[in-house]
Amino acid sequence: MISLHVKYFIGIAWFLFSLAISCINDIIAKYIYANNLSSLEISFYRFLFGTISFLPVIIFYGLKSIKTSHIKLHFLRGILLSLAIFLWISGLQSSQVAIATTISFTIPIFVLILAPLILKESVSFVLWIVTFISMIGIYITISPHSKNLLLTHIYLLLQQYFLLHLTLLIKNILQKKKCFVCYFTLPYLQL
């Protein structure tokens, strides 16, 4: 049996790996955009290669792994993810990768803010204080690099808004029934 410390180390390693892949993908998207591909085309290729990378899983587990009784929720999920990726790439084009990455870390903060309202979860006072401090930290990180809130930052924040709803939608789907395909949403955000 794997010890708790080893599980934590594995979790941290996967998190760092996903961060590295995410940053590499962002740099590639910025480079490709500089070579005259639009945000829409880059989004298309991200989804195309993401789908191709998912094919071995479907072949291994069979078509039952993607079968769902919540087709409308998954359709909504697809729309939210498509909008989020398009906005992310659009915002990334005229922003620094460091600022975009900082803004990408706001999704857990927004989930925490809306969890009591949408999911009826309780949030302690300490978590509210930490959330407020986190928002100040993000503002301090971003503000020296820009005189005012740029349209780019609005694109990136809108992307986080769509990802927030995507996260809440996935939690809703998983509470109703285990959904194998839902577990692959976060890796697709990195592709």
Side-chain angles (χ1 to χ4, degrees):
M1 180 169 249
I2 300 174
S3 73
L4 193 58
H5 295 294
V6 173
K7 287 182 182 180
Y8 283 136
F9 177 74
I10 291 170
I12 291 169
W14 276 111
F15 178 74
L16 292 174
F17 178 71
S18 73
L19 283 179
I21 294 296
S22 178
C23 289
I24 289 168
N25 282 329
D26 292 344
I27 292 167
I28 290 170
K30 215 169 160 73
Y31 173 77
I32 290 173
Y33 182 77
N35 289 313
N36 300 324
L37 274 181
S38 72
S39 298
L40 191 59
E41 291 170 309
I42 295 170
S43 300
F44 170 78
Y45 285 116
R46 279 181 89 151
F47 283 112
L48 176 68
F49 293 124
T51 302
I52 290 170
S53 71
F54 191 61
L55 286 176
V57 174
I58 295 172
I59 291 169
F60 183 77
Y61 288 102
L63 287 177
K64 68 179 187 277
S65 65
I66 60 171
K67 188 176 179 183
T68 181
S69 59
H70 306 290
I71 194 72
K72 289 179 184 176
L73 290 176
H74 286 288
F75 185 73
L76 177 60
R77 186 176 146 223
I79 290 170
L80 289 172
L81 185 58
S82 298
L83 285 170
I85 293 295
F86 174 74
L87 286 169
W88 178 258
I89 292 171
S90 297
L92 189 62
Q93 304 318 318
S94 55
S95 178
Q96 297 175 10
V97 175
I99 290 175
T101 302
T102 301
I103 291 174
S104 75
F105 289 134
T106 62
I107 188 70
I109 296 169
F110 291 124
V111 169
L112 183 102
I113 290 170
L114 289 180
L117 300 172
I118 296 174
L119 299 175
K120 308 294 186 234
E121 294 182 355
S122 62
V123 178
S124 70
F125 182 72
V126 173
L127 278 177
W128 286 117
I129 298 293
V130 171
T131 302
F132 181 72
I133 293 170
S134 300
M135 294 297 270
I136 292 171
I138 290 168
Y139 176 76
I140 290 170
T141 303
I142 293 171
S143 65
H145 299 287
S146 62
K147 302 265 188 254
N148 52 11
L149 189 65
L150 301 172
L151 183 61
T152 299
H153 298 135
I154 293 171
Y155 282 157
L156 296 171
L157 287 170
L158 267 174
Q159 183 261 357
Q160 291 301 299
Y161 175 78
F162 287 124
L163 286 183
L164 162 71
H165 287 287
L166 183 65
T167 303
L168 296 173
L169 181 66
I170 290 170
K171 183 163 184 181
N172 186 12
I173 292 171
L174 289 175
Q175 284 176 344
K176 292 180 181 178
K177 181 182 174 186
K178 284 211 173 213
C179 175
F180 183 72
V181 177
C182 291
Y183 293 113
F184 291 94
T185 297
L186 291 178
Y188 271 117
L189 297 179
Q190 308 302 327
L191 294 174

